[in-house]
Amino acid sequence: MINTAVKQEFGSNPLKVRDTNHYQAEYVHSFVDRWDQLIDWDRRAESEGDFFIRLLQEQGARKVLDVATGTGFHSVQLLKAGFEVTSADGSPVMLGKAFENARKRNHILRTVHADWRWLNRDVHDYYDAVICLGNSFTHLHDEKDRRKALAEFYATLRHDGVLILDQRNYDAILDHQIEPRHNFYYCGDNVRATPEHMDDSLARFRYEFPGDEVFHLNMFPLRKQYMQRLLHEVGFQRVTTYGDFKETYRESEPDYFIHVAEKR
Ligand code: SAM
């Protein structure tokens, strides 16, 4: 169903909203329009460099499914680099914006509207790689949804396929009360992204834009080792975790972890 709401709606007690389906109501048009201001494409491309392109090339990947297309940043980067890309997302608002963004850059996105939990109902093909980037997997609030989504990602991969999934370093925030520097993905000017509330099952982030426009996202704070365990448990044989695009790092330092989960 297309979310035509103008304003985000978290009800009278926003801290109670811990629901996997709620992402649809969080990505309202006005927030999606602001998202690209939050994620400055040029600066993001500069900070990521060719990290994902190299990873995919090392894995011999050619055909990629972007399951968390959002406004299209990675889909477009990969199309530019010559990969064959299918762009999926559970939010039609996001997919619309991604299509428009790609058109402006002379690319036509092949889009699929699909929720990860039922991905293979809408995606009927096999891929060398599935990417789930930009701290997206954190939107799943229940463990059964996380397991279901990973199983669906696994099923759409070829026998030697790879899943690349990233997450914010929630361990650092939960354990050390460190406020992340958010200089990797949230590169836009004049945007403040701060954790407004953290507990073991909720990370509520506040996004402030110029003109006092404020949005929120209620997410599940994934711990790194928990995520690695889940990936192994659904069947991935090898999981390598990078910290802010580097193979070696101190646990509390990175803002983001990137898991590369290999099926073979
Ligand atoms: N990858 C993009 C980026 O890095 O800019 C988008 C990231 S955005 C934080 C998260 C995306 O995940 C949103 O576009 C949202 O619609 C999508 N998403 C969240 N939960 C989902 C689900 N259960 N099924 C499909 N898409 C989902």
Side-chain angles (χ1 to χ4, degrees):
M1 203 176 70
I2 295 185
N3 177 16
T4 51
V6 181
K7 282 183 71 172
Q8 288 187 322
E9 190 45 76
F10 283 91
S12 57
N13 187 354
L15 299 188
K16 269 202 165 156
V17 180
R18 298 168 190 227
D19 171 14
T20 294
N21 294 316
H22 200 256
Y23 74 96
Q24 297 274 2
E26 293 176 18
Y27 290 111
V28 290
H29 270 287
S30 46
F31 189 29
V32 170
D33 281 343
R34 287 299 212 169
W35 193 252
D36 285 333
Q37 187 177 337
L38 178 66
I39 302 169
D40 179 312
W41 281 36
D42 292 337
R43 280 167 58 187
R44 189 174 183 186
E46 210 177 291
S47 74
E48 287 188 9
D50 61 354
F51 179 82
F52 293 111
I53 290 166
R54 261 191 303 115
L55 263 186
L56 290 166
Q57 284 170 342
E58 277 163 23
Q59 295 287 336
R62 201 180 52 80
K63 195 168 156 191
V64 181
L65 176 66
D66 182 356
V67 288
T69 298
T71 58
F73 175 77
H74 286 108
S75 287
V76 170
Q77 297 300 109
L78 295 183
L79 282 170
K80 275 207 295 204
F83 291 91
E84 191 186 315
V85 184
T86 301
S87 308
D89 201 288
S91 160
V93 182
M94 278 294 199
L95 281 180
K97 186 75 182 171
F99 192 82
E100 186 188 311
N101 277 337
R103 273 283 289 274
K104 277 191 215 147
R105 293 162 175 88
N106 300 319
H107 291 284
I108 298 290
L109 282 196
R110 185 185 306 165
T111 57
V112 183
H113 178 215
D115 188 287
W116 305 325
R117 291 165 290 174
W118 305 281
L119 186 78
N120 292 276
R121 189 182 60 189
D122 303 299
V123 172
H124 308 123
D125 207 351
Y126 290 103
Y127 294 88
D128 303 320
V130 167
I131 59 169
C132 183
L133 300 175
N135 198 34
S136 296
F137 200 71
T138 184
H139 282 291
L140 301 172
H141 284 272
D142 299 317
E143 175 153 325
K144 69 173 180 6
D145 292 329
R146 290 189 278 275
R147 287 185 185 277
K148 178 88 169 85
L150 289 180
E152 294 282 313
F153 298 166
Y154 189 93
T156 197
L157 283 169
R158 289 203 172 114
H159 72 97
D160 55 352
V162 65
L163 166 66
I164 306 178
L165 183 153
D166 70 2
Q167 61 165 106
R168 188 180 273 278
N169 181 357
Y170 288 114
D171 294 73
I173 314 175
L174 285 166
D175 298 339
H176 313 284
Q177 304 299 314
I178 290 169
E179 194 176 314
R181 297 182 302 278
H182 63 77
N183 55 346
F184 277 96
Y185 293 150
Y186 301 149
C187 312
D189 283 327
N190 308 318
V191 187
R192 270 169 60 82
T194 44
E196 194 177 84
H197 172 90
M198 285 293 294
D199 64 43
D200 280 348
S201 62
L202 183 68
R204 179 169 163 84
F205 270 67
R206 176 187 174 88
Y207 302 89
E208 276 173 68
F209 294 91
D212 292 338
E213 242 185 320
V214 175
F215 299 93
H216 289 88
L217 290 178
N218 278 17
M219 301 170 285
F220 179 85
L222 295 161
R223 285 195 175 269
K224 184 182 90 168
Q225 283 186 2
Y226 166 75
M227 198 59 233
Q228 290 169 324
R229 180 164 59 78
L230 274 190
L231 288 164
H232 280 296
E233 283 176 5
V234 299
F236 288 101
Q237 296 299 299
R238 196 146 69 114
V239 178
T240 310
T241 301
Y242 296 81
D244 287 344
F245 315 119
K246 295 190 201 81
E247 210 160 348
T248 49
Y249 50 86
R250 291 226 313 264
E251 289 299 314
S252 63
E253 271 182 357
D255 286 338
Y256 279 84
F257 293 122
I258 299 136
H259 307 285
V260 180
E262 294 169 62
K263 201 164 167 175
R264 83 185 126 184

